[in-house]
Amino acid sequence: MTRRTGVVVIGGGQSGLATGYHLRRLGLDFVILDAQPAPGGAWQHAWDSLHLFSPAAYSSLPGRPMPVQAGETYPDAGHVVGYLTEYEHRYGLPVHRPVRVVGVHRAGDGSLRVETDSGTWQAQAVISATGTWWRPFLPAVPGRSDFRGRQLHTVEYRDPRHFGGLGVLPAEGGGRVVVVGGGNSGAQIAADLAYDTELTWVTQRPPRFLADDIDGRALFDVATARRRALDEGRTDTEGVASLGDIVAVPPVREARDAGLLKASPMFVRLDRDGIVWADGTRAPADAVIWCTGFRPALSHLAPLGLRGRRGRIATAGTRAVDEPRLHLLGYGDWTGPASATLIGVGRPARDATREIAELIAAEA
Ligand SMILES: Cc1cc2nc3c(=O)[nH]c(=O)nc-3n(C[C@H](O)[C@H](O)[C@H](O)COP(=O)(O)OP(=O)(O)OC[C@H]3O[C@@H](n4cnc5c(N)ncnc54)[C@H](O)[C@@H]3O)c2cc1C
């Protein structure tokens, strides 16, 4: 049986919920389909010590400010899950879960057909808000399959104790761990492990810490200034990327100031026992954690044939250039400046839903 609706939103994380808020305000008929069994999107799977890099007041979706977490300037991931859970109940958002979208197709009548693991929906427009957490990226480094130790990606990391419990490190503590990646996840996980393991932190270029007094508030201001500059046709300032890569959240700052976060350059290959640098120097390792980022989770859009050069779907704002019924939201600056943040996703979500409302009104 095929069910019909105005708009299908794919993904019920923060981006999908912000979209739902605006669709509700516009009075459109819609559903949100989310593959997770519970609310909270990727935040449900974050490692234990992860805290936001902005205070609650700078981490809010449209309409409902995030409450302050008692005793924490920077809320933890559990607090975000609680906030998102409350948000979707508060606005009565029609989230269906767990429902995984397996393919979006053009239907014969010009609408879009959304195939899921539990039935089919037909919609006048689709907003894809599936995030990136579900597509971890690992670089092609020679010898990766030769390494006999354990390899993990950021998405599998929990905390030092659980990590020790995986059986790859000595039960009595210690063990040799290589953390790869000079972004926020690499720095935070390296800081987490720096006290209890023999840590080698490897980054492609020397780590670029943001000034200690810069947190998500300043980042948001810079992203906003960039958006304004681009809107007004001024030169691109590069936004937050020009400030650095790593927000010096308190645990990172402490480990860095204790001299525990010294980075080594990227190695050229792995062998059975560890990593090998270009000059032949080796570092034996029990485990390698790849904090090497993510790619947008877009395989469900493959039937639309929209991927252009370098695998990217061309967008104008959030709208897919070659499929005006499709919007993409929350994947990074290419789907709206700061759209991959809690505070930044509201504006592109509003713009996307307005465009869709116009499209639906024009067809009525
Ligand atoms: C380490 C880290 C730290 C971060 N720190 C901050 C921070 O401090 N402040 C901040 O604002 N942002 C931060 N972010 C960025 C951002 O807030 C998160 O990445 C956020 O989870 C993105 O939300 P989303 O809704 O776009 O995607 P997600 O949270 O990933 O939600 C997408 C949802 O779509 C579902 N889905 C995926 N594929 C399908 C499918 N085919 N069918 C149906 N459902 C599907 C998923 O199961 C998921 O529930 C951080 C990100 C990371 C990785």
Side-chain angles (χ1 to χ4, degrees):
M1 190 188 73
T2 300
R3 285 164 285 183
R4 288 179 179 276
T5 185
V7 186
V8 167
V9 180
I10 309 173
Q14 65 198 38
S15 304
L17 299 189
T19 306
Y21 170 87
H22 285 293
L23 288 169
R24 184 60 100 226
R25 288 195 71 173
L26 290 165
L28 295 180
D29 184 35
F30 70 101
V31 291
I32 300 175
L33 308 178
D34 185 36
Q36 296 295 293
W43 294 106
Q44 297 169 82
H45 304 280
W47 60 91
D48 292 357
S49 66
L50 177 64
H51 285 245
L52 292 182
F53 44 70
S54 312
Y58 274 72
S59 306
S60 301
L61 295 180
R64 166 87 176 126
M66 180 185 282
V68 169
Q69 182 177 13
E72 302 280 1
T73 306
Y74 301 100
D76 63 23
H79 187 73
V80 181
V81 172
Y83 169 69
L84 295 178
T85 306
E86 197 265 337
Y87 189 92
E88 74 178 59
H89 290 145
R90 182 183 186 89
Y91 294 109
L93 299 178
V95 186
H96 298 231
R97 61 165 66 92
V99 177
R100 175 169 297 280
V101 172
V102 292
V104 179
H105 305 254
R106 290 188 183 88
D109 63 357
S111 64
L112 293 175
R113 196 175 78 246
V114 179
E115 303 282 2
T116 81
D117 57 6
S118 55
T120 303
W121 290 84
Q122 193 144 341
Q124 284 166 281
V126 166
I127 300 183
S128 184
T130 48
T132 58
W133 185 261
W134 325 96
R135 232 186 113 200
F137 171 75
L138 273 84
V141 177
R144 220 173 64 200
S145 55
D146 300 332
F147 179 58
R148 288 181 307 181
R150 179 76 187 244
Q151 295 184 61
L152 305 178
H153 186 271
T154 312
V155 297
E156 295 161 276
Y157 178 75
R158 280 283 148 282
D159 66 24
R161 256 218 326 248
H162 165 256
F163 189 61
L166 290 173
V168 286
L169 299 178
E172 65 277 13
R176 300 156 302 181
V177 183
V178 176
V179 173
V180 187
N184 285 302
S185 3
Q188 288 190 26
I189 290 176
D192 222 19
L193 291 167
Y195 302 89
D196 299 322
T197 65
E198 202 180 302
L199 171 73
T200 306
W201 182 32
V202 176
T203 59
Q204 221 154 17
R205 57 180 178 184
R208 299 191 312 151
F209 294 96
L210 280 85
D212 287 1
D213 59 346
I214 292 195
D215 64 13
R217 285 170 282 205
L219 294 180
F220 181 70
D221 290 343
V222 172
T224 309
R226 180 189 192 205
R227 186 184 63 219
R228 225 174 268 137
L230 291 175
D231 286 352
E232 292 167 8
R234 286 185 274 129
T235 318
D236 189 353
T237 57
E238 259 197 90
V240 296
S242 62
L243 298 177
D245 300 320
I246 302 165
V247 182
V249 292
V252 167
R253 203 180 304 164
E254 279 156 30
R256 182 201 61 193
D257 294 349
L260 298 172
L261 277 190
K262 298 254 188 303
S264 304
M266 185 61 190
F267 49 89
V268 289
R269 64 186 172 89
L270 288 108
D271 64 12
R272 286 159 59 88
D273 302 316
I275 58 174
V276 186
W277 281 279
D279 66 359
T281 315
R282 331 170 80 81
D286 300 302
V288 175
I289 308 182
W290 299 94
C291 302
T292 40
F294 305 87
R295 296 289 182 265
L298 296 175
S299 59
H300 54 289
L301 301 178
L304 295 172
L306 299 172
R307 285 162 76 100
R309 285 180 49 218
R310 302 177 69 197
R312 182 60 68 81
I313 295 179
T315 48
T318 56
R319 179 172 41 80
V321 170
D322 296 321
E323 178 45 77
R325 294 180 189 277
L326 174 71
H327 287 250
L328 295 101
L329 190 66
Y331 297 105
D333 281 0
W334 62 283
T335 54
S339 73
T341 64
L342 285 153
I343 194 171
V345 72
R347 180 178 154 136
R350 184 199 62 194
D351 294 348
T353 53
R354 280 186 184 164
E355 270 195 51
I356 287 173
E358 282 165 21
L359 177 133
I360 289 177
E363 288 179 346

